[in-house]
Amino acid sequence: MSTSFRMDAPYPRVLDRTAQGVIHRPLDRPEGPLKVTGRATYAAEQALEGQVEGVLVRATVARGRVTGMNDALVRAMPGVLGVFADARFLRNPAQGGAGEAPVQGSTEVFYHGQPVALVVAETFEQARHGAAALALRYEEAEAQLDPETAESVDRPDKRKLDQGDLDAAMADAHAKVDVTYTTPPHHSAAMELHASVAEWTGDRLTLHGSFQMLKYNKAELADALGIPRERVRILSPYVGGGFGSKLGISPEAVAAAIAAHELGRPVRVVMTRQQVFGMTTHRTSTRQRMRLAADAEGHLTAVGHEDRVYNLPGESFSEPTAQSTHFLYSGVNRRLGQEVARVNRTCAGSVRAPGEAVGMLALEGAMDELAHELGLDPIAFRKRNIPDRHPEKDIPYSARRFADCMDEGARLFGWDARNPTPGQLHDGEWLIGHGMAAAARVNMVSASQARVILRPEGTALVETDMTDIGTGTYAILGQIAAEMLGLPIAAVEVRLGDTDLPPAAGSGGSHGASSAGSSVFVACESLRTTLAERLGCAPDDLTLKDGIATGANRRAKFAELLSDGALSEEGHFEPGRTKKEVSQASYGAFFAEVGVNRITGETRVRRMLGTFAAGRILNEKTARSQCQGGMIWGIGAALTEELAFDPRDGHVVNQDLAEYHLPVNLDCPQIEVQLLEERDDMACPIQSKGIGELGISGAGAAVVNAIYNATGARVRDYPATLDKILGGLDD
Ligand code: MOS
């Protein structure tokens, strides 16, 4: 049996009336013990019967064609089983299907480091030896390596907007800023390496991999191989982080599948850390011109946000830099637009909050600058510009506790005690400053399906091809089912990460919890109706708790109601009219205290607070953890993170976790997260919204605004490394 639900209108707040009391609670992740004891088997840890090892070989030119290679020599090396140079894994299907399909028979090279061959051998060492010996010959072509000078195309779609008269509003402004912010390329830098183990049984492929969106990944893999989708099964039960880099399949999956097919043996291909940095998707750099104008009362009259990003030629994705600028603040005269430079670098794709993560560094910096120009408190200025209706689409907002987040956060942080004049607070050789910024991330939901099986002995099984990329999916899907079915959390088992299970939304765009959670909810609603019928009460009168149903003065154990066996129900959730009719987003506010060393220009974040409202919080611990993680990325974006490409050939220079500077424990101060109570009735039937990427969306701007408050130095070129601050310090 299956039940479908489309989100066309608000749904009753069922989860506010259930009795089990496990929703929202900070329960542990059930797979946690498996992970910390090494019993959760990740893709690279598969050891299949007869498995052999593949090592990818990468192009050493930025643009051109492979014209030949010494593969005969490599094939004759000890243990080597094959050398595969197949056009099907040359390009990187980056964005859950949005990437361009590789051209059959093509040997084109689009970027330095692109995978061009796979060497397979009995052992990893033999394969690596063979890969090192494989010499390719190229016909080189001219590459475009500089995003500033490369030819570009305009995004003519909905990202382009020219509303009212921005130039006139700027000319007439009481106060204004016209500033350009830049952000560097970023890498997802997930802990788990991209890895695939492919095994064929007849014409059916089973691939153990590490992916975020299995429904799409299965289609991508089948399309890349040119086989029907039904013949592909992907298993991804545990994923050690993705952050966007595992939204689409990556070359090692296709390469492993091709080699395994040819050799008739399972093939494992694990990228090295350097390969992960140099051949999986990364985030484009951005150049963002911000124009903001305000009248004497501090009301925005103009909002201009025009950006330049890049991607490979032909790729359809471009960073939606101004995503939250569209809806966050009022101002009738608006100009937004984007140019996409075509450069020969690794594919640019989604990385941790594509859009807001870098767009809000510029927007929230410029807002801070204009508040300063106006002599207004940054919070008062923002609150004055919260629009009643979406300033471009003229539609209402769903639940939006943006102002409350700023007010509550300010209280908890002690914002009023700061000194608004830059450079006033000292602690020895450290200049102390405080800054804030808004948090906002669009809310998305996607079609998602799950099966819930309720058994007479009072246990339940949730099954879906949803992934848990470290976000807490196992925990929250179990909590939703336990809450809805009145079962202790330990009585619910959740099975994920297998494309033979009902197709889910996947983990991306912070839509996973709401979408997959709603599909579990829909299935459970239907099961509740069946239980109510069998008990003889109206569904609204049914109470389920600890495996006992009560209603209409009756009481029964599940065993009695399910005497003819387990119930199985599939829930199908899909977005509906509320997606278009209201503007949905999660909101928050960041507060940072920094110390800037007046001698060296070094910045240390001393404390940081994020206050968030994202609809119903399904698990207070996993939600908090997501927000903390986001704020850590925010500190990285503000101070250290920068993926460097060699200007001569476009190769990734800092291609490991030592040289790509993510914040480590010592860089992260006390990070506090405050979650406000909220229900978003327009978002989904469980009234939750996306929280996974909210914690990064604006976080870095709070840090850089605090640097300004500490020093009077305004850094607009991220990250705010000490060399950029030193010049702004007094001697
Ligand atoms: Mo996210 S960057 O959509 O995985």
Side-chain angles (χ1 to χ4, degrees), residues 522-588:
V522 168
C524 291
E525 264 286 74
S526 174
L527 291 170
R528 287 173 64 95
T529 304
T530 305
L531 292 174
E533 275 166 19
R534 292 186 181 183
L535 188 68
C537 74
D540 279 353
D541 295 334
L542 180 73
T543 301
L544 300 177
K545 191 166 192 304
D546 294 329
I548 293 168
T550 48
N553 285 325
R554 291 192 186 84
R555 176 184 167 86
K557 287 189 173 164
F558 287 177
E560 301 163 46
L561 299 177
L562 304 177
S563 54
D564 44 349
L567 289 175
S568 174
E569 184 69 32
E570 261 186 48
H572 295 193
F573 166 76
E574 56 181 300
R577 286 205 303 275
T578 62
K579 190 172 182 169
K580 287 251 151 69
E581 289 175 354
V582 292
S583 174
Q584 301 177 25
S586 299
Y587 292 90

Side-chain angles (χ1 to χ4, degrees), residues 173-192:
H174 169 77
K176 63 185 166 189
V177 294
D178 181 351
V179 287
T180 297
Y181 280 80
T182 52
T183 65
H186 291 142
H187 201 273
S188 316
M191 189 108 69
E192 185 202 9

Side-chain angles (χ1 to χ4, degrees), residues 91-92 94-95 98-100 110-111 144 147 150-153 155 281-285 308-319 339-350:
R91 293 240 2 221
N92 190 357
Q95 289 300 319
E100 303 295 301
F110 298 95
Y111 62 91
Q144 292 296 321
E151 223 176 283
S152 68
V153 292
R155 283 288 301 229
T281 54
H282 77 288
R283 190 199 318 272
T284 173
S285 61
R308 183 177 172 94
V309 297
Y310 66 76
N311 207 343
L312 278 164
E315 287 291 332
S316 54
F317 176 86
S318 66
E319 181 88 18
E339 347 176 299
V340 186
R342 294 305 183 188
V343 298
N344 298 103
R345 290 182 172 179
T346 61
C347 191
S350 292

Side-chain angles (χ1 to χ4, degrees), residues 212 243-244 247 350-354 507-509 693:
Q212 296 176 223
F243 310 113
L247 285 170
S350 292
V351 176
R352 315 177 230 128
S507 301
E693 296 161 314

